[in-house]
Amino acid sequence: MARIFSGIQPTGIATLGNYLGALRNWVALQDGADECIYCLVDLHAITTFQEPASLREQTYGMAALVLACGIDPERSILFHQSAVSAHARLGWIFNCVARMGWLKRMTQFKDKAGKNQEEVSTGLFMYPNLMAADIHAYHATKVPVGDDQLQHIELANDIGEKFNHDFGVEFFPRIEPLIVKETARVMSLRDGTKKMSKSDPSDQSRINMTDDADTISQKIRKAKTDTEALPDNLAALAQRPEARNLLGIFAAVSGESQEAILARFAGGGFGPFKNALAEALVAHVAPIGARAKEYLADKAELDRILQKGAAKAAAIAQPITAEAERIVGFLPSAG
Ligand code: AQP
């Protein structure tokens, strides 16, 4: 049995990108033989400032949504990262293993910091070290992610290897990313070259998993497209990122192949295509949003689920982290 680890930041409401790129895969993996550990990564969330009351609400909201997507806390471990101190302890060790040059190459840092590199938090820069710790603290070997996280997984492997090499051990295993190719990167509804993101300033750029039917339909109607008719083959969409993105979303939520969808709408404009896409999206997303609302109505129950999950997570991560600390040369601690 392998161990699977993945996380999501409670930095807002999960988007269709988070769902198709990661969360849906989390649920599917839960039915396999591997042990699944899923984490609301609040330590990562504060790498950019979060208003405390919002962070609390967003963490509850994300827990509710993950459960609504189908994560069963009896079969998977679901918890919030700050509740298990192993993440921060191993993260610090990894800050001392990773090299500045490695982190400077991370494209996500460059994207998020932009021209503002002197002003962003040091946490944003070191984020990939903590992500490596999230995974290695469980000796997890499989990580379901969207392809924006691939570079971070490679870095986590570099860190694990360097730790093993520096201390002459075979302690941290190699990690393998699990990527659903078709939906590895869902793009913004306003710009087909930019990924859909929950922190994009424009709400029109994304489908939130809690959007109601009217909002979903309106966002799809207004989604950017081009003026050409839909073609009858996929190759003809190569230079049409917005159309390609909408087609990918359509196939992912309807279960139909992209070719079959194109065959139905080829030669026509985007109007009927968008209507059918909106209908398929509403049928898929709206029930999840409604279930999330129900979970969110009982925060005491969410606390109970997350705390129980944290206890199970700590039982795995603390001994592994304590062993890493022993390897490094720290004296034993009581906890
Ligand atoms: N557009 C996307 N397409 C496919 N997968 C995506 N993921 C995120 N956006 C897309 C995957 O969702 C998981 C959780 O992401 P995260 O919350 O850790 O942070 P992120 O990758 O930075 O996602 P966002 O939505 O863009 O968050 P913010 O705006 O807070 O930075 C990951 O597996 C990710 O690959």
Side-chain angles (χ1 to χ4, degrees):
M1 182 191 69
R3 196 169 277 146
I4 290 171
F5 181 94
S6 196
I8 186 162
Q9 297 189 70
T11 38
I13 300 163
T15 69
L16 185 69
N18 298 130
Y19 174 70
L20 294 178
L23 292 176
R24 190 157 80 159
N25 203 13
W26 290 14
V27 176
L29 289 164
Q30 179 179 248
D31 294 326
D34 298 331
E35 181 177 31
C36 295
I37 303 172
Y38 297 130
C39 186
L40 310 175
V41 288
D42 48 7
L43 300 182
H44 288 284
I46 63 163
T47 55
T48 53
F49 182 76
Q50 304 293 321
E51 206 276 310
S54 307
L55 180 60
R56 268 187 286 277
E57 277 311 306
Q58 286 164 188
T59 308
Y60 280 125
M62 194 58 82
L65 192 89
V66 168
L67 293 165
C69 286
I71 292 301
D72 172 1
E74 296 303 320
R75 287 190 290 157
S76 295
I77 297 176
L78 177 67
F79 70 107
H80 54 304
Q81 188 185 23
S82 57
V84 178
S85 65
H87 294 253
R89 281 160 50 192
L90 191 59
W92 179 256
I93 293 176
F94 286 175
N95 286 341
C96 304
V97 173
R99 307 289 93 183
M100 288 291 287
W102 298 359
L103 293 180
K104 281 184 181 165
R105 284 196 287 275
M106 293 296 111
T107 53
Q108 192 177 77
F109 175 74
K110 290 185 210 160
D111 289 347
K112 288 201 171 177
K115 293 195 178 78
N116 213 15
Q117 293 202 1
E118 297 300 313
E119 302 303 322
V120 295
S121 77
T122 51
L124 189 69
F125 184 65
M126 298 192 303
Y127 173 117
N129 297 341
L130 181 60
M131 180 167 158
D134 297 337
I135 303 162
H136 282 310
Y138 296 86
H139 277 176
T141 53
K142 296 180 183 177
V143 181
V145 282
D147 79 353
D148 59 315
Q149 295 298 330
L150 255 187
Q151 200 185 23
H152 289 163
I153 303 287
E154 283 163 15
L155 185 89
N157 275 325
D158 291 343
I159 291 174
E161 260 173 37
K162 181 161 164 56
F163 180 99
N164 289 347
H165 177 266
D166 287 354
F167 296 101
V169 291
E170 275 307 318
F171 189 60
F172 292 118
R174 276 199 73 75
I175 301 162
E176 178 201 345
L178 302 179
I179 295 192
V180 182
K181 219 172 111 251
E182 296 73 25
T183 49
R185 192 170 296 220
V186 178
M187 309 311 275
S188 158
L189 300 179
R190 310 300 301 161
D191 176 354
T193 62
K194 221 169 107 190
K195 86 163 185 160
M196 185 181 284
S197 181
K198 53 179 128 63
S199 59
D200 190 300
S202 163
D203 192 57
Q204 292 294 324
S205 70
R206 60 178 167 264
I207 302 290
N208 301 309
M209 292 302 292
T210 52
D211 281 345
D212 61 24
D214 286 348
T215 310
I216 293 172
S217 302
Q218 178 261 355
K219 284 180 177 175
I220 292 299
R221 259 199 322 277
K222 289 199 172 158
K224 186 178 168 198
T225 44
D226 50 49
T227 49
E228 289 174 49
L230 279 150
D232 60 4
N233 67 88
L234 281 177
L237 287 180
Q239 304 304 324
R240 300 171 68 184
E242 283 84 15
R244 213 171 51 232
N245 185 44
L246 292 184
L247 180 63
I249 293 173
F250 201 157
V253 295
S254 67
E256 244 181 300
S257 72
Q258 298 196 9
E259 290 81 359
I261 297 168
L262 272 189
R264 263 197 297 140
F265 294 98
F270 281 91
F273 170 88
K274 280 183 167 180
N275 287 343
L277 166 58
E279 205 177 297
L281 257 177
V282 167
H284 201 94
V285 171
I288 296 177
R291 271 200 303 280
K293 231 184 222 165
E294 286 169 21
Y295 279 110
L296 198 52
D298 190 351
K299 289 191 176 144
E301 174 64 3
L302 290 176
D303 277 330
R304 195 193 62 76
I305 289 171
L306 292 177
Q307 281 163 23
K308 204 169 156 196
K312 288 191 220 165
I316 302 167
Q318 303 290 24
I320 292 172
T321 299
E323 180 57 12
E325 290 170 336
R326 191 197 65 75
I327 291 169
V328 166
F330 296 167
L331 298 181
S333 67

